[in-house]
Amino acid sequence: MSYGTAGSLRCVTLDDVRGAQKMLSGVARATAMEGSRHLSQLVGAPVHLKCENLQRTGSFKLRGAYVRIAGLLPEERAAGVVAASAGNHAQGVALASSLLGVHATVFMPQGAPLPKVSATREYGAEVRLHGQVVDETLAAAEEYAAETGAVFIHPFDHPDIIAGQGTVGLEILEQCPEVRTVVVGVGGGGLAAGIAVAVKALRPDVRIVGVQAEGAACYPPSLAAGRPVSLDSPATMADGIKVGRPGEVPFGIVGELVDEVRTVSEDQLSAALLLCLERAKLVVEPAGAAPVAALLAAPDGFEGPVVAVLSGGNVDPLLMQRVLRHGMSAQGRYLAVRLRLTDRPGALATLLGALSVVDANVLDVSHVRTDPRLGLTEAEVELHLETKGPAHCAEVGQALRDAGYTVID
């Protein structure tokens, strides 16, 4: 592939994306596109989910990694490749390298989820755990590249990576030719840039909307400044888009072709993940659920038909458990309440009886009797309840107060 100046619009073209699509034939899946009745009713127009969570390795990352590694010169392949990632990019590089017969070394943070570490190894990469945060891991990978001559495979800041990710855009137009809006999560910007190149070249009327987590939204200030701006400490549960600075190459494309970049809260991400699981029967990681979160946050703000790109589904089971509980709480379907009662035989049974009257499902009970804040005959109980929504939460609280219980907070 041939490219112009990095950061310019001409550095990745439609022909590059089409070339990447040919290269990926038989390697990456043309992932399914599923309609969502619930989201369609909410938005008032057809909404389709582009299921990159069902891609090989569980995310879109294989596309760009394969194109990048396949384009290396023979002597570069012989030197091997190195990458740094907490999950999705690691697995994409590992599988792509294995398919191409290239040795891959992947640096991952010491706290990386065990399922992602195991999967990366199973795809054939040599895994080295280094550092507590991705920045430390990245520095170690770059140092390794300098010492050994291995080619560093960046997760988003390279034209080949962007061209590979852009094949998602070609599939969107093939599967939903009537699309009017594409909504895609944004971290460093490789996926959004690639999709924008492909879609805008063929359908300039289609609106491209990027979505970032509020705590890791590096693009809005960067676009306002006209250059990539670094965040001091990005923080979000959506580790797939937790990037502190836009890539130089994708930044230029996003600035030219992406119509808008929105942000979503952690509550909205949790609710979106829960919706994907319950309504669409799809396991999606928080970063992959970001486009759905944007639809939930402002359903009237999108012209349909809409395609929301579910970029990945590699979510750690423990994180999934926490996020689902967080999502249920955000929707008013999970209630944690503390209250005091007289410490006497049968008091807890009486309390649970009061809850059964209002049809609240008790998930967990914590009973404390020895606390200096409590009187001699008092006990404190913390209840975790499954409820039916905000109105039901209010009903439960009122029923407890009416029964004479002192509700704390």
Side-chain angles (χ1 to χ4, degrees), residues 1 3 12 16-17 20-21 67 158-167 194:
M1 298 181 186
Y3 304 101
V12 184
D16 296 326
V17 180
Q21 188 176 48
V67 173
H158 192 280
D160 287 349
I161 296 288
I162 294 170
Q165 320 307 28
T167 59

Side-chain angles (χ1 to χ4, degrees), residues 77-82 97 101-105 124-126 144 150:
R77 291 197 190 192
V81 300
V82 60
S97 299
V102 176
H103 177 75
T105 302
E126 176 188 347
Y144 176 88

Side-chain angles (χ1 to χ4, degrees), residues 1 21 44 56 111 140 153 162 191 199 204 218 245 257 274 295 298 316 320 386 402:
M1 298 181 186
Q21 188 176 48
R56 296 178 70 179
I153 306 299
I162 294 170
L191 178 61
V199 171
C218 59
R245 188 177 188 274
L257 297 180
L274 183 60
L295 294 177
D316 179 62
M320 171 70 88
E386 183 181 2
D402 289 346

Side-chain angles (χ1 to χ4, degrees), residues 108 120 162 184 240 395 403:
M108 303 183 76
T120 303
I162 294 170
V184 55
E395 181 185 353

Side-chain angles (χ1 to χ4, degrees), residues 200-211:
K200 288 290 190 177
L202 296 170
R203 287 279 309 280
D205 59 304
V206 173
R207 185 171 178 80
I208 309 292
V209 178
V211 184

